[in-house]
Amino acid sequence: MSDCGCDSHDIKLIPYHDALGRLVDAAVPLADMEEVVTAAALGRVLAEPVFSGMDVPPADNSAMDGYALRSNDILGDGDITLPVSQRIPAGTYGQPLAAGTAARIFTGAPVPPGADAVVMQEVCTASDDIVAIPGPVAAGQNIRRAGEDISSGQELLAAGRRIRPQEMGLIASVGHATVSVVRRLRVAIFFTGDELVEPGGSLKPGQIYDSNRFTLLGLLAEMGCDVVDLGVVGDTLASTRQAIRSAADQADLVITSGGVSVGEEDHVRIALEEEGDLNMWRIAIKPGKPLAYGTAHGAPFIGLPGNPVSVFATFCLFVSPFIKRMQGMTSVVSRAVPVRAGFDWPKPGTRREFLRARLEQDAAGLPQAVIYPHQGSGVLTSTSWAEGFVEVPEGTTVTAGQTVDYLPMSQML
Ligand code: AMP
Ligand code: MG
């Protein structure tokens, strides 16, 4: 194992956890909030905690279609016949239940005062205005208690939570038509590379389609960001500097792809140094080593590598936690799940590897992580096939059957 964190060129690389920690610490949460209707709150981050001003359910109510009664009217285990004194559909409120009578009741309807149990209709025999009920009946049965889910005054959701469909329902269930969220993050993006052509155009020799733009547009949409898309920028220092100025001027965060390595056509790092500060560059990971972080004209700047797999992987690993922190989220780094490896990785690397992987069932039906056979950083197919990454630390190998760390992509965004 390389214990100096050096790559083959013997240049110091920043260890993964150091880089991640430094990035997350550098991200400043947005201070502005806005009120949005609950129906449009999906994906937004709560700026304030959500409290309930009511009990849920608001009253004791029936969990069944059946008969509400007083349990001590049905002692013993024979059938007891009671007159049906009232009918209480959901959405109505019954009268106090007289002793020795039953109320026809429906799921969700409030249990009338005096009744302390509901018997499901399937076990009762009803005719005209009487019903035969098999005993015994336990007090409290088939009644959902007022406040058993949520009690009035309770904090339902903490600030910093992203709103999923479940949270939309929960917020609505206590009657809030609007909710206070952090304003949307504005992210400016541009792509370096004289070889890039937009889909729809035809390729001349030496050209390729610009896929990173689409990967990033999708990732940023999934994270609820507004995007300022500056498109492709030519491989010159002047145009890269100009693009950095324009991007920083229009957005809370600037993200670029390509041009961040050490080649003569790579201008992003130098341009960043001239327009602002480079705070971090070159990380001991694979894919994604050349990632650069800094600030320019007051905006944080993340320069992603150009290789399409590196863009996707470094976004999941670094940009997503950074964005989450800027969006005001409290939990920003996804935790790895230990799983059994269904593959061998015999060659230890000098950098921490994030293998494109997914979970499949082994012969006994148990989950195991398997990896895409081609792990090259240009093989974009691997990101589409995969559902997560297996993290292999520097200097280690993997033998099938051993436990490895698995990072599900669904939790990384
Ligand atoms: P670079 O970091 O600029 O040297 O780019 C590394 C590799 O990624 C090269 O093979 C580029 O052609 C490729 N690449 C750079 N940008 C893009 C892009 N937007 N879409 C697809 N491939 C790209
Ligand atoms: Mg390039």
Side-chain angles (χ1 to χ4, degrees):
M1 162 171 186
S2 159
D3 55 12
C4 66
C6 305
D7 72 357
S8 53
H9 306 294
D10 209 29
I11 294 168
K12 186 102 174 110
L13 301 180
I14 305 165
Y16 167 66
H17 287 288
D18 290 4
L20 183 57
R22 278 161 66 176
L23 258 190
V24 168
D25 287 349
V28 180
L30 293 177
D32 313 331
M33 55 173 89
E34 60 184 334
E35 198 79 3
V36 295
V37 294
T38 308
L42 186 67
R44 305 300 295 272
V45 177
L46 287 171
E48 292 174 331
V50 176
F51 289 94
S52 176
M54 59 179 282
D55 285 342
V56 179
D60 288 0
N61 71 90
S62 179
M64 297 279 176
D65 290 339
Y67 294 86
L69 42 78
R70 295 166 181 260
S71 58
N72 60 15
D73 282 342
I74 317 279
L75 300 170
D77 35 84
D79 276 14
I80 303 272
T81 299
L82 298 176
V84 178
S85 55
Q86 58 181 316
R87 189 170 184 278
I88 314 173
T92 64
Y93 198 83
Q95 301 297 315
L97 185 78
T101 75
R104 180 75 172 115
I105 197 165
F106 298 88
T107 306
V111 173
D116 68 350
V118 170
V119 179
M120 66 197 289
Q121 65 184 26
E122 289 87 335
V123 301
C124 303
T125 315
S127 58
D128 299 328
D129 288 339
I130 58 166
V131 61
I133 309 228
V137 171
Q141 76 175 37
N142 297 325
I143 293 178
R144 305 165 179 156
R145 293 291 171 200
E148 80 176 17
D149 182 7
I150 298 163
S151 47
S152 182
Q154 183 181 329
E155 181 181 304
L156 270 191
L157 296 165
R161 286 274 303 262
R162 195 186 293 283
I163 299 170
R164 303 171 299 169
Q166 304 89 301
E167 283 74 41
M168 288 175 72
L170 192 57
I171 292 163
S173 76
V174 298
H176 297 314
T178 64
V179 64
S180 164
V181 298
V182 179
R183 86 159 159 83
R184 278 189 195 277
L185 187 74
R186 245 173 123 70
V187 182
I189 54 178
F190 68 85
F191 305 88
T192 68
D194 286 339
E195 70 278 34
L196 301 175
V197 173
E198 290 311 304
S202 52
L203 294 182
K204 296 199 189 80
Q207 295 184 320
I208 58 165
Y209 287 117
D210 173 8
S211 61
N212 291 345
R213 183 181 193 179
F214 296 82
T215 306
L216 268 187
L217 286 172
L219 288 163
L220 291 167
E222 196 135 308
M223 297 200 69
C225 300
D226 282 340
V227 176
V228 180
D229 183 358
L230 302 180
V232 173
V233 169
D235 283 324
T236 68
L237 184 60
S239 51
T240 310
R241 286 185 62 172
Q242 160 60 29
I244 291 179
R245 283 198 296 275
S246 167
D249 198 42
Q250 298 180 65
D252 303 305
L253 167 66
V254 179
I255 302 174
T256 64
S257 100
V260 85
S261 269
V262 289
E264 281 150 38
E265 300 293 338
D266 294 326
H267 301 291
V268 171
R269 180 178 50 88
I270 314 249
L272 176 62
E273 283 175 328
E274 293 185 1
E275 293 295 328
D277 295 304
L278 174 73
N279 300 330
M280 196 168 83
W281 182 48
R282 290 164 60 91
I283 301 167
I285 55 165
K286 191 175 176 185
K289 177 175 79 172
L291 183 135
Y293 167 73
T295 55
H297 304 284
F301 177 99
I302 303 178
L304 302 180
N307 277 309
V309 177
S310 307
V311 165
F312 182 77
T314 52
F315 189 100
C316 292
L317 294 168
F318 296 103
V319 182
S320 166
F322 192 88
I323 286 179
K324 286 178 177 174
R325 182 49 59 84
M326 285 194 86
Q327 289 174 325
M329 285 184 70
T330 41
S331 169
V332 302
V333 175
S334 51
R335 236 172 302 162
V337 188
V339 295
R340 212 162 46 77
F343 66 94
D344 291 316
W345 191 254
K347 195 168 168 282
T350 55
R351 291 178 268 152
R352 183 169 294 247
E353 300 216 22
F354 292 90
L355 306 173
R356 272 69 69 211
R358 68 185 186 196
L359 299 182
E360 288 182 357
Q361 289 187 343
D362 68 9
L366 296 171
Q368 61 174 5
V370 292
I371 57 170
Y372 195 71
H374 307 294
Q375 292 285 331
S377 60
V379 182
L380 200 47
T381 323
S382 68
T383 61
S384 178
W385 175 91
E387 289 162 2
F389 298 95
V390 166
E391 182 176 342
V392 184
E394 298 83 328
T396 64
T397 57
V398 175
T399 310
Q402 156 190 350
T403 301
V404 289
D405 280 339
Y406 178 74
L407 292 155
M409 288 168 182
S410 57
Q411 285 171 32
M412 299 178 89
L413 299 177

